[in-house]
Amino acid sequence: MLPNPVPEIQRTNLGNVVLLLKSLKTENLLDFDFMDPPPQENILNSMYQLWVLGALNNIGSLTELGWKMVEFPLDPPLAKMLLMGEQLECLNEVLTIFLCFQFHLYSSGQRTGKQRVMLQGRNFFVPESDHLTLLNVYEQWKSNQYRGDWCNDDFLLVKGLRKAREVRSQLLDILKTLKIPFTTCRHDWDVVRKAICSAYFHNAARLKGVGEYVNCRNGMPCHLHPRSALYGLGYTPDYVVYHELILTTKEYMQCASPVEPRWLAELGLMFFSVKESDTSMLEHKKKQQEEKSAMEEE
């Protein structure tokens, strides 16, 4: 072990620190007088991530979105997802989803009673998404009057759900202070998945084989976890986004949701673009020729 622990600011993501300093009108972060200066590479990486999310502009100043993100005590991607939920009018669903994957919802009973849990857990699974599965768990807990005994029967961790509910009420107060309207999409899951994509498009993966994906940016292999709602569906989405990778026997994606490729091109312009295939181009030209011939006949 090291004689002294490495200061936290030198080993953690600096996204929130950069946002705070920028909101205090700090121009040059590399020359800022930190008590324990973090590596300059960490500062630059954090600034790059904020630029990718749209919180910083090309000259390193806060954008309108960035000023709103400062108000939330959240990691920048989560704050971006919450604000995108406002734009897409699915704030209620997005707020619940990201809180649920911040806290552990499944008890250790899943390890000892795996078969039983798999059967009972199917009541919660939403095949479209792990994120929507978490939303379904919370909504079912809510419909059961937030009872602890109901959680124990279904191998859910009541402490995690109660913590999510507590933090949810705190964030609702912040939303009221900022006068952000509280909206719901009811059951239009496409807009919810698009809001998730807006924050995690940098963690996009495309299908390579059965249950195997590769990261669209760096080619790193990713796999669906056996406990994922997408695992064993009978069909596999071509593109997914995930919260993070966890390494056990393989690189498993934690909290994965299918996305449309056009969403990646729309929300992650700096990484993705849509290219017409030769077939689609030929069809487009054929359609143009048919329209031209129809106009000449008229």
Side-chain angles (χ1 to χ4, degrees), residues 97-132:
I97 285 171
F98 86 75
L99 285 173
C100 286
F101 70 67
Q102 284 290 313
F103 304 104
H104 295 291
L105 300 189
Y106 301 108
S107 71
S108 58
Q110 282 194 313
R111 300 188 185 96
T112 57
K114 183 177 179 181
Q115 292 180 349
R116 183 180 175 188
V117 173
M118 288 300 289
L119 291 173
Q120 291 187 334
R122 298 297 177 186
N123 296 326
F124 301 129
F125 280 0
V126 177
E128 291 89 350
S129 164
D130 288 332
H131 295 92
L132 296 178

Side-chain angles (χ1 to χ4, degrees), residues 3-219:
N4 298 301
V6 178
E8 186 175 3
I9 197 171
Q10 296 183 5
R11 53 186 167 85
T12 58
N13 187 286
L14 299 176
N16 282 329
V17 175
V18 172
L19 276 179
L20 178 60
L21 291 175
K22 284 294 181 180
S23 69
L24 296 174
K25 307 294 185 181
T26 304
E27 296 297 333
N28 193 346
L29 299 183
L30 298 180
D31 293 335
F32 186 79
D33 189 19
F34 290 99
M35 184 176 294
D36 296 301
Q40 290 191 353
E41 183 180 354
N42 289 8
I43 297 176
L44 293 174
N45 285 338
S46 296
M47 291 183 68
Y48 175 72
Q49 291 171 7
L50 290 172
W51 173 77
V52 165
L53 290 172
L56 297 180
N57 58 23
N58 291 338
I59 60 174
S61 300
L62 284 177
T63 61
E64 182 180 353
L65 176 66
W67 281 107
K68 289 183 179 180
M69 289 169 64
V70 172
E71 301 294 332
F72 295 94
L74 305 170
D75 288 338
L78 296 178
K80 168 71 179 292
M81 187 169 80
L82 191 63
L83 292 169
M84 196 67 180
E86 174 201 357
Q87 294 181 26
L88 298 176
E89 298 185 350
C90 57
L91 189 55
N92 175 51
E93 288 76 15
V94 168
L95 182 60
T96 301
I97 285 171
F98 86 75
L99 285 173
C100 286
F101 70 67
Q102 284 290 313
F103 304 104
H104 295 291
L105 300 189
Y106 301 108
S107 71
S108 58
Q110 282 194 313
R111 300 188 185 96
T112 57
K114 183 177 179 181
Q115 292 180 349
R116 183 180 175 188
V117 173
M118 288 300 289
L119 291 173
Q120 291 187 334
R122 298 297 177 186
N123 296 326
F124 301 129
F125 280 0
V126 177
E128 291 89 350
S129 164
D130 288 332
H131 295 92
L132 296 178
T133 296
L134 293 174
L135 174 62
N136 189 29
V137 169
Y138 188 90
E139 291 298 327
Q140 288 198 39
W141 181 53
K142 180 180 177 181
S143 65
N144 283 274
Q145 291 77 48
Y146 305 107
R147 286 168 32 219
D149 60 331
W150 178 83
C151 297
N152 295 332
D153 292 341
D154 287 298
F155 295 93
L156 298 174
L157 195 61
V158 66
K159 288 184 179 179
L161 283 164
R162 286 175 178 167
K163 187 67 176 177
R165 186 186 180 192
E166 178 185 341
V167 177
R168 193 177 192 276
S169 64
Q170 295 173 4
L171 290 175
L172 283 174
D173 291 338
I174 295 177
L175 292 172
K176 290 178 182 177
T177 303
L178 296 176
K179 297 181 179 179
I180 295 177
F182 192 67
T183 56
T184 178
C185 67
R186 306 208 177 266
H187 294 288
D188 187 0
W189 300 138
D190 284 351
V191 294
V192 178
R193 291 190 294 117
K194 189 172 183 180
I196 296 168
C197 182
S198 71
Y200 290 99
F201 57 82
H202 55 280
N203 285 344
R206 60 179 175 82
L207 183 64
K208 182 181 179 182
V210 179
E212 182 181 357
Y213 288 81
V214 291
N215 187 286
C216 292
R217 292 174 53 206
N218 54 32

